[in-house]
């Protein structure tokens, strides 16, 4: 029994130590005017992995999605923008798909509805792949203005 418990704990520890996180996210806010800011979301992508665009064809991989918590403190202006990236024919999905490698930046403009200090909270849903596997992911993002 003791050997079984030790083996189970060892397997659990090894499993947790091998959790893949091929994308690291950082955020910042850039003041555009007294009432407008750009929320800047940077993705640093591990070598040999790629992150998919927000706009991928149906039957393709999961797109990158930004969900901002609703608040009376601000409103979104337009949609989240992304860099040019690379568009290739993907033999796995048999589609032309846009992706990013190494690093990329997404931007969301907001308009402030008051001058009080507040936090903007959101979530990122995404998928990243290399030549042998894909890793779906999500994470909380937080800005303070």
């Amino acid at each position: 029994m003791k050997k079984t418990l030790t083996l189970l704990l060892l397997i659990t520890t090894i499993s947790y130590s091998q959790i893949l996180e091929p994308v690291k996210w950082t955020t910042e806010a850039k003041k555009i005017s007294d009432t407008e800011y750009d929320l800047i979301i940077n993705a640093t992508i591990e070598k040999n992995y790629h992150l998919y665009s927000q706009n991928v064809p149906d039957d393709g991989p999961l797109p990158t999605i930004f969900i901002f918590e609703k608040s009376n403190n601000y409103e979104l202006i337009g949609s989240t923008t992304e860099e040019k990236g690379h568009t290739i024919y993907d033999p796995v999905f048999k589609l032309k798909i846009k992706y990013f490698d190494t690093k990329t930046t997404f931007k969301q403009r907001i308009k402030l509805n008051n001058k009080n200090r507040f936090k903007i909270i959101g979530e990122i849903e995404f998928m990243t792949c290399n030549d042998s596997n894909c890793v779906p992911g999500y994470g909380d993002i937080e800005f303070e203005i």
Side-chain angles (χ1 to χ4, degrees):
M1 177 74 172
K2 190 173 181 181
K3 287 182 180 181
T4 304
L5 182 59
T6 303
L7 182 59
L8 181 60
L9 286 173
L10 180 61
I11 290 170
T12 303
T13 303
I14 291 170
S15 297
Y16 277 112
S17 67
Q18 293 180 352
I19 293 174
L20 293 174
E21 290 186 47
V23 180
K24 304 288 188 240
W25 300 92
T26 59
T27 61
E28 60 185 290
K30 180 180 177 185
K31 186 174 184 176
I32 303 302
S33 71
D34 285 343
T35 59
E36 292 185 0
Y37 282 77
D38 276 344
L39 306 179
I40 300 169
I41 307 164
N42 299 300
T44 302
I45 306 155
E46 199 172 288
K47 185 178 180 181
N48 298 322
Y49 277 87
H50 51 270
L51 174 69
Y52 292 106
S53 168
Q54 298 174 92
N55 306 298
V56 295
D58 291 341
D59 299 325
L62 298 175
T64 299
I65 299 171
F66 297 93
I67 303 163
F68 295 94
E69 189 175 278
K70 293 187 188 301
S71 170
N72 292 329
N73 293 317
Y74 70 94
E75 58 188 82
L76 301 176
I77 298 176
S79 57
T80 305
T81 62
E82 62 186 31
E83 294 181 321
K84 185 178 178 182
H86 309 281
T87 301
I88 61 157
Y89 178 80
D90 188 305
V92 173
F93 293 102
K94 298 181 179 157
L95 298 165
K96 277 191 170 183
I97 299 174
K98 180 178 174 183
Y99 72 93
F100 308 98
D101 58 7
T102 314
K103 62 183 176 177
T104 193
T105 298
F106 299 89
K107 292 181 184 178
Q108 174 64 61
R109 184 148 302 172
I110 63 163
K111 180 180 179 185
L112 305 182
N113 293 330
N114 66 58
K115 294 194 177 195
N116 297 329
R117 189 172 182 88
F118 62 91
K119 288 184 181 181
I120 297 173
I121 298 171
E123 187 176 298
I124 306 169
E125 296 176 0
F126 62 96
M127 176 181 271
T128 182
C129 299
N130 63 15
D131 290 339
S132 61
N133 66 10
C134 290
V135 180
Y138 71 93
D140 293 330
I141 56 173
E142 194 170 291
F143 297 90
E144 187 166 346
I145 297 178

